[in-house]
Amino acid sequence: MMLSYNLLTGLLAAIGGYMGYYNVKSVTPLATGLLFAVLYFVSNYLIHTGKPVAGHNLALIVSLVLSGVTGSRASQSGKFYPAGFMAVVALGTAFLNFLGF
């Protein structure tokens, strides 16, 4: 499987979920981070196994949801890192998937 921006964004989502779990001692950030990561990994798999339209569409939807959730969280906390950073990464991933790269 090729390394791509969807894999990297999925990895960042998983790491962010673990960081949330470690800091708050709650399973919710870990579960949501892993859910987003799995969805990005599935989109990458679809892209590289002959179903690029489905893979890019899945990643686009996941990216828009993730950027909305993390952007809202960043605006509530007033801090850019980590939620604002992830919102920017997710928007960049959404843009690349929209273009079909």
Side-chain angles (χ1 to χ4, degrees):
M1 192 176 298
M2 294 178 59
L3 183 64
S4 73
Y5 50 88
N6 288 331
L7 282 180
L8 293 175
T9 306
L11 184 61
L12 284 175
I15 291 169
Y18 176 75
M19 286 174 47
Y21 170 75
Y22 182 78
N23 291 332
V24 183
K25 303 293 187 241
S26 172
V27 178
T28 304
L30 180 62
T32 55
L34 291 177
L35 173 67
F36 280 111
V38 166
L39 291 172
Y40 276 117
F41 297 157
V42 168
S43 74
N44 189 66
Y45 174 78
L46 290 171
I47 290 167
H48 294 294
T49 57
K51 296 179 180 137
V53 173
H56 286 300
N57 286 340
L58 174 62
L60 177 63
I61 292 167
V62 171
S63 296
L64 292 175
V65 170
L66 181 60
S67 65
V69 169
T70 55
S72 170
R73 191 155 235 192
S75 69
Q76 288 175 355
S77 71
K79 299 178 187 174
F80 176 73
Y81 187 80
F85 173 75
M86 195 64 209
V88 171
V89 168
L91 279 177
T93 304
F95 180 70
L96 290 173
N97 278 290
F98 177 74
L99 295 178
F101 285 112

